[in-house]
Amino acid sequence: MRSIWNGAISFGLVSIPIKLVNATEHHSISFRQIHTADGGRIRYRKVCELDGEEIPASEIGKGYEEPGGGIMPITDDDLAALPLPTAKTIEIVAFVPADRIDPLQMDSAYYLSASGVPAAKPYVLLREALKRSDKVAVAKFALRGRERLGMLRVVDDAIVMHGLLWPDEVREPEGVAPETNVTVRDAELDLADALMNTLGDVDLESLHDDYREAVEEMIAAKASGGELPAESPPAAGGGQVIDLMAALEKSVRAAKESRGEEEGEEVAEVTQMARGKERGTEKRKAAASSADAKKKPAAKKAATAKKTTAKKTASASQKKSAGQKESQPAAAKKSTAKKAAPRKRTSA
């Protein structure tokens, strides 16, 4: 494999000379643009807008467009003179657990190949240290004119580096999730779990690009003058979901049939359990509602009785207070009469 970048991994004071190799490749079929009237090839030419002449690649450089519209030329020497330590170095800055890396940041993948015999031992040292720590290395490096973030991990016996987007390059999922309030019932979750279990696991090696294969068959048929492949029927589904429970049940059955499994009692049992749970929940809600309905009249009667008792108590208290007030003047009169009566003297 041809290397696309040569440099070194900076691991503390240890330097590991490496070569960067693309770890992935695309197998999609490329098409050319043509003139539909005569089949002529449509080509793009790079033309200078000042003199109208086509410019060869050797005379094309870089320029920065200023806010006013002018172009400031930027040369390779200008970029090479930048004080950037990662220009030819993959600088490891930290070791973190793999789950700290958000998959949204994942970008291109590269194999890091040891460059020369002296690089073998420090390369293996870093590889084994990553294996034993069960962590990944976070690094900074410069590639294709800009500094990037990378993640180093071990695949088989090789060190792989994934280019990472900077955290501020990942958009927030604003306005993506449904904004309406949606309630998912336990019965629906049970059937969704059954569907997930039925679909089960898959061997990723068995997956392939059906569309590319169909395009290749079509091209081969047109080249040989043969009959074009028959149009495949449209895929089922995609309509509006009316009954979510019924759709889930049908999905479980279809998944079992596609795997060649017999349609046993599992779906019926899960459905029965799910619907039983649903009915149980509804019964509990109905019972709670009925209990609340019974409690309300009793509570109302208790409140009325409490108010009546309070009124009676208040009335008795008022009467008692009035009686006390009436008895006080009579007692005062008796006391005054006693004081006014003369005392009888006893003779000697």
Side-chain angles (χ1 to χ4, degrees), residues 204-226:
L204 296 179
E205 297 294 331
S206 67
L207 302 178
H208 56 278
D209 189 345
D210 294 325
Y211 179 79
R212 186 188 59 161
E213 291 181 358
V215 172
E216 289 174 345
E217 291 178 8
M218 179 265 294
I219 292 173
K222 293 194 73 169
S224 62

Side-chain angles (χ1 to χ4, degrees), residues 1-9 16-24 86-90 108-115 123 139-144 146 148-152 159-163:
M1 291 185 285
R2 186 175 62 88
S3 64
I4 61 172
W5 185 87
N6 293 335
I9 300 174
I16 311 171
I18 56 97
K19 295 178 181 180
L20 204 65
V21 179
N22 281 323
T24 60
T86 57
K88 282 293 181 181
T89 303
I90 298 173
S108 303
Y110 309 94
Y111 287 128
L112 302 183
S113 172
S115 181
Y123 183 97
K140 294 170 70 176
F141 67 103
L143 183 65
R144 297 189 178 98
R146 68 186 186 96
R148 302 178 63 186
L149 200 60
M151 180 192 77
L152 277 64
I159 299 176
V160 177
M161 181 172 69
H162 295 269

Side-chain angles (χ1 to χ4, degrees), residues 288-301:
S289 177
S290 176
D292 290 341
K294 289 179 180 178
K295 286 179 182 178
K296 285 180 181 178
K300 191 174 181 181
K301 288 180 180 178

Side-chain angles (χ1 to χ4, degrees), residues 241-298:
V241 177
I242 304 299
D243 187 345
L244 186 57
M245 293 285 288
L248 287 168
E249 293 170 13
K250 188 175 180 181
S251 300
V252 174
R253 293 191 184 95
K256 293 179 79 67
E257 289 174 3
S258 66
R259 290 178 173 270
E261 300 177 10
E262 294 183 3
E263 188 179 331
E265 298 179 355
E266 181 182 353
V267 178
E269 185 179 348
V270 172
T271 305
Q272 187 176 359
M273 290 176 60
R275 295 194 183 278
K277 285 184 179 179
E278 189 176 356
R279 285 194 293 268
T281 304
E282 291 175 355
K283 286 181 180 179
R284 285 195 296 272
K285 288 181 179 178
S289 177
S290 176
D292 290 341
K294 289 179 180 178
K295 286 179 182 178
K296 285 180 181 178

Side-chain angles (χ1 to χ4, degrees), residues 60-64 72-82 145:
I60 297 177
K62 299 181 182 70
Y64 174 76
M72 178 189 300
I74 302 295
T75 66
D76 292 339
D77 292 337
D78 293 334
L79 297 174
L82 292 175

